[in-house]
Amino acid sequence: MDVFSVPPGELRDMAGSPDAVARFLTQAAACAPSVYGTAPWWFSAADGDVCLRADHERGLAVADPAGRELTISCGAAVFVARVALRYLGLVPQVSILPEPEVPDLIASIGWASGRLEPSAAERALFERLPAARATDGRFASPRLPAGLMAGLAEAAAEEGAALRIMADADHEAALLAVTDAATFALRLDQARLAEASEPRGDGHGWRLPPADLVITPESAGVVTVLTTAADQRADWVAAGQALQRLLLSSASAGAGLAISSQALEFAPLREFVAAQFAAGAAPQLLLRFGPSS
């Protein structure tokens, strides 16, 4: 089923069946980014709602032993589910981590009774999902539309996260140096390298950068850190939802987003980033924005 070409009449029929909604959300969530393209989630219908669960068998034991990036990935899928429900004419009612004692249950996704037709903007948001994919960060210049970064910061805040922009050359260069150091360290670690290089199907997201990718201040774009106030599982879900909103928001403005988060997979470097670039907040992802090629 291609969820992006379903006739309007069939959309209405789907909205009346939790099983059909779960299948629709599963297909739409294929557009969500995930760590190393693992797509570590699955949907199921239960008691009239849809549950999004983490698939820990797709976790990364070396790079992500705590499941932080896995949970961020699931958060991105939650945001896609919200967008997809509105496209179906349903009003989402989402509960994050509704049963803490069930570690794989990320969200219980319900919807209000009755239908509310999506606005043109909500339809466009859904239709933008397939094209709103993270880039490898080969930006030709750092030039972006005026006001875009302020708007992206507001978008992150709507999801309970903060987008911290490296506004001066010294902070930008230092953070890029940390990123480069982590990339080289990852390539020297055979266990991490093997895990990062394992084929992951059609998933997309953040992974080991291409061997020939050299990030310079001239081509880095706008360098940022996506942070949360705390560092619990709910914060990781919030970071994932913010990531997906940022992908869609930047794509709508003709901008690309690159995820350069390998430094945060090393605990000492993550602590360093928190102290030096995030004012003590919890860094969840390193993001760079630049013009789409």
Side-chain angles (χ1 to χ4, degrees):
M1 176 177 63
D2 181 0
V3 296
F4 299 97
S5 60
V6 177
E10 291 186 26
L11 289 176
R12 184 177 295 273
D13 293 338
M14 286 180 181
S17 165
D19 286 327
V21 170
R23 290 193 295 272
F24 188 86
L25 300 188
T26 297
Q27 293 293 321
C31 295
S34 58
V35 57
Y36 293 173
T38 51
W41 57 72
W42 56 282
F43 291 88
S44 64
D47 299 325
D49 290 343
V50 172
C51 293
L52 187 153
R53 299 179 183 274
D55 185 347
H56 292 283
E57 291 187 1
R58 298 186 190 181
L60 303 172
V62 179
D64 186 35
R68 183 182 64 85
E69 291 182 293
L70 179 149
T71 307
I72 291 174
S73 306
C74 291
V78 170
F79 189 87
V80 170
R82 290 165 52 194
V83 171
L85 285 175
R86 285 302 301 127
Y87 189 73
L88 288 173
L90 301 173
V91 179
Q93 296 177 333
V94 180
S95 177
I96 301 298
L97 304 178
E99 300 178 34
E101 69 278 7
V102 182
D104 70 330
L105 181 56
I106 301 298
S108 176
I109 304 169
W111 47 90
S113 59
R115 286 176 54 87
L116 178 65
E117 289 300 317
S119 65
E122 288 172 325
R123 289 184 184 277
L125 199 65
F126 178 81
E127 292 165 354
R128 198 177 297 130
L129 280 168
R133 298 205 166 200
T135 74
D136 67 4
R138 301 174 193 267
F139 298 127
S141 79
R143 297 189 184 91
L144 289 171
L148 175 60
M149 293 311 301
L152 293 178
E154 292 177 0
E158 287 186 36
E159 302 303 328
L163 189 66
R164 298 173 182 269
I165 302 167
M166 301 298 105
D168 65 79
D170 288 343
H171 280 83
E172 178 183 288
L175 188 53
L176 290 176
V178 173
T179 300
D180 286 341
T183 300
F184 286 118
L186 195 156
R187 293 188 182 280
L188 292 172
D189 187 323
Q190 292 303 309
R192 286 178 182 269
L193 186 60
E195 189 174 66
S197 303
E198 183 178 339
R200 300 291 178 178
D202 296 330
H204 72 101
W206 57 105
R207 60 190 71 206
L208 185 64
D212 63 342
L213 178 62
V214 177
I215 303 173
T216 66
E218 293 75 22
S219 65
V222 178
V223 182
T224 72
V225 184
L226 184 69
T227 68
T228 52
D231 199 24
Q232 303 301 315
R233 292 177 67 223
D235 302 290
W236 303 344
V237 177
Q241 295 201 73
L243 170 63
Q244 184 64 70
R245 182 182 282 277
L246 290 169
L247 269 172
L248 291 171
S249 298
S250 57
S252 69
L257 182 158
I259 307 171
S260 305
S261 288
Q262 51 271 26
L264 302 184
E265 294 178 3
F266 295 87
L269 289 180
R270 188 167 182 239
E271 293 174 4
F272 178 76
V273 170
Q276 299 298 321
F277 305 100
Q284 303 298 350
L285 294 168
L286 305 185
L287 307 177
R288 298 185 291 111
F289 298 88
S292 296
S293 56

